[in-house]
Amino acid sequence: MIKQFFKLFPLAAASLFVFAACNSAENKDLKINDLEYFANRGVNVLVYSNTFSGGFNDEKDSGIEIIHHGVRTVQGGAIRLSNTPEQWDLVPATTSREVNTDDNSIEVGLRYDDYDFDSRVVVTGKGDAFEIAVYLDKPVPAELVGDAGFNLEFLPSQYWLKTYIIDGKPERFTRYAVSNTVARPNSEKIKQYKGYKTYDDRGTDQFVDPLPLATGHEILMAPDDPERTIKVTSEGADLNLYDGRILAQNGWFVLRSLLPAGQTGKVLSWTIEPNSIDGWIREPNIGFSQVGYMPDQPKVAVIELDKNDKILGKASICKVNDDGSTKTVYTGPTDTWGPYFKYNYVKFDFSKVQEPGVYFIKYGDTQTGNFIINDDVYDHITDATSDVWIPIHMNHVTVNEGYRIWHGEPFREGYLQAPVNTDHFDLHGQGPTTDTKYKGLELIPGLNVGGYFDAGDFDIETGSNIGVVQNLTSIWERFHPMRDYTFVDEYQRYVDLHRPDGKPDIIEYLEHGVLNIVAQAENIGHMSQTLTNSVLDNYHHLGDAASITDGLHYDPRLKPYQKSADGKSSGTPDDMWAFTSRNPSSDFRAATCLAAASRALKGYNDDLAARALKESKRLLKEATELMQSSGRGAGNDMAANLQLYISTGEQQYLDRFKDQINRSLSRSAINSLTTALEAIPYMDDAYKESLRPAVEQYKHYIDSLETDNPYGVPIGLGNWAGSGSVVSFGSTICMASSYFPDIISKDEAFKATSFLFGCHPYHNYSLVAAVGAARPKQVFYGNNRADLSFIPGNVAPGLLFRKPDHFENYDDWPFLWGQNEGTIGGNVSYLTFGLAFKNLMGR
Ligand SMILES: [Ca+2]
Ligand SMILES: [Ca+2]
Ligand SMILES: [Ca+2]
């Protein structure tokens, strides 16, 4: 039950809010706190704690942000140059940030270098409201008049279906974007990132501009939901409300005022009044393993509490009986862990509950969804990933599941050589030479075979695909999984889910990965950085991968959208490109993975195994020479040297591996222990014993995490959340425990599963889509994200840290990749971990 009192709002517009009488005389002033943001009980206002400095321009997590009763519902407060900016529209640089606690204000300097345009935004706390003021020392540049405005963006999923009242007129935010637009000449379009275009104008030379949903001077949003109620008043300029989803499905609702022409000084002033519910206390978040528990495993729930909440000394476990009745079967003490960033944490150990059955946790008035205790609860944790997510991400084939085609055969026209000196929008680039025999835009034959889509996008990241082949080989050699629920026919270029074909799926997936890497080696001569989109307007594609390009070869002699008489080519420049600047360390890694994969493929596909080995030897020789001649030294990749030793038995690789692993372990066991342990089956007993101090060091590291955070796992604070580190942590524990159970107990591995399956900050949903839980996450950043859906088996990056103290994982809004995207690399790592975990647990 939520402990809250509701504040009443007059429905009609009023210049002052009348507060309902309330017994708490709480101070609601928005004051700057020690962490340099404005805060009262239910509201945090962050002013450029997070700047527009991520790798991808507008990531919808920067500028002026509001965390409203625990949910970050507002962001993007900045001078912007269009009505509903997209990811690749220009963002301002933050040139200064000054916190003035004396007058309760934060001032930031913003600048558009492209237009030599500077502005200052000053946010001042005024009672329970705050003012946003824009100051100009020089007027808006003439070319930006009518384009430069102040924008503030509101999270659609927290506002849709709710009402708003603009200048007294009631309206409703819609669930889906349906509003008016106008087509304007491209000459009026503000240039986008590096001159790329997010849209295909179909030859009209026009861009689409959304028209406002409503215009006024005062807007009261969500008066029907006190947790979201917010009022914005503009002193002079019109407030325009737009729906950003019209141009891009990941757009937000945008409130915007244009900056006036020819003026300096204070040119804009908005007053913002976010409602703070009297005495609001966030509901406890009881973290537990949604997948359940084995009877004799440790069972510890971590309860995340508002710092204003009183800690209760006890919690209970209730059992759901066969007849639907419930009974409290255990009540035990809670154990205070203490504060971690924004919240307080207590733990509740209920390991004593061991009888198989269905249970839930009760803490005060809060109770969780149910979970199962039984021996077999973890048996299926990898099935969705291996049966569904991985095959759906197979490139260059059609993927069918029951009545649904996930995608047809993509990129039938193949890949063109990327032109020299190309700076790409997905952080790649083609250097001053092609390093191939091909000229820019010439077809490189044979590349449209095998390989995996990178993530929520459809490129082949070669480095990541190499890692996938390496991991699938390791899975095959360590666990030999015979699971067969996928039909793969490389000749038909057809994959059917849930259809056994008599061949183990892992070996088919491995073959599919190897096909593309071998094709790159044979046709490019070395590894590309990536095989990816050439035009931005098809990079952000959502839906069937086969429709990203037209499947026809690009012929510049034809007009755009024109097809040749033979139907084989078109004048639409949509073909994918291969970025081929040579990187010998990438070739070295490819050589390693191909050597390993050729072992696994022998007896299954002897021809591919032989081609893989041949390319491996050539790439290894060339990469070694290139690295030596460039002074970079050969073979700095310890895992590669190990694999090469396993494949060839040559002493030089063993010596190099041993030398590197010793040096690396003496620096720190944390990053290199897995590689060191992987070598054990190929080394003597003395080698294994020599690892003992490193394993002991890793055990200290595991213990130290218990005091680092309440969950006892590594928690990342970067711009891409940290499930991947938890998966690696779990994998290392599984391997270390299998070789050194006297140092690292297998129980430590449950910390990783519990975190992934629901025992983590913000909410308690399983981060793995559709896996064995009462409440897995519902939305992920996959290629079906516009449907607010997921692809089963995906592992979300998870809890994204927003500076200075907020973890979040939206489960009603999939579009933030740093918290909701899954990658082929990450999900194959999860598969490796899951199989190692089940193996360790004897399942
Ligand atoms: Ca990508
Ligand atoms: Ca199969
Ligand atoms: Ca084409």
Side-chain angles (χ1 to χ4, degrees), residues 426 454 457 459 461 539:
D426 197 20
D454 177 33
D457 49 9
D459 53 318
E461 290 279 357
Y539 171 71

Side-chain angles (χ1 to χ4, degrees), residues 415-418 428-430 434-436 444 447 459-466 516-532 577-590 618-619:
Y415 296 81
L416 306 183
Q417 169 68 56
H428 293 288
Q430 182 67 45
T434 64
D435 300 344
T436 67
I444 304 178
L447 295 179
D459 53 318
I460 287 189
E461 290 279 357
T462 303
S464 169
N465 271 256
I466 290 171
N516 190 261
I517 293 170
V518 167
Q520 291 199 26
E522 290 176 344
N523 295 295
I524 296 173
H526 56 268
M527 290 302 110
S528 72
Q529 290 172 47
T530 177
L531 308 179
T532 191
W577 287 353
F579 285 78
T580 57
S581 294
R582 188 161 198 178
N583 175 356
S585 45
S586 175
D587 295 344
F588 192 78
R589 284 188 64 220
R618 181 180 63 80
L619 285 174

Side-chain angles (χ1 to χ4, degrees), residues 483-488 499-506 508:
R483 190 172 178 84
D484 171 24
Y485 291 106
T486 310
F487 169 94
V488 181
R499 174 190 293 277
D501 63 358
K503 299 170 193 164
D505 300 336
I506 291 294
E508 291 175 302

Side-chain angles (χ1 to χ4, degrees), residues 48-63 91-94 427 719 802-803:
Y48 287 78
S49 296
N50 300 290
T51 58
F52 292 96
S53 55
F56 300 95
N57 274 27
D58 185 354
E59 303 190 50
K60 303 295 178 199
D61 58 7
S62 314
V91 291
T94 308
L427 309 184
N719 212 30
R802 305 313 305 144
K803 287 180 227 166

Side-chain angles (χ1 to χ4, degrees), residues 216-230:
H217 287 87
E218 181 183 278
I219 183 169
L220 177 64
M221 301 172 137
D224 45 344
D225 178 357
E227 291 202 357
R228 297 290 163 264
T229 308
I230 185 166

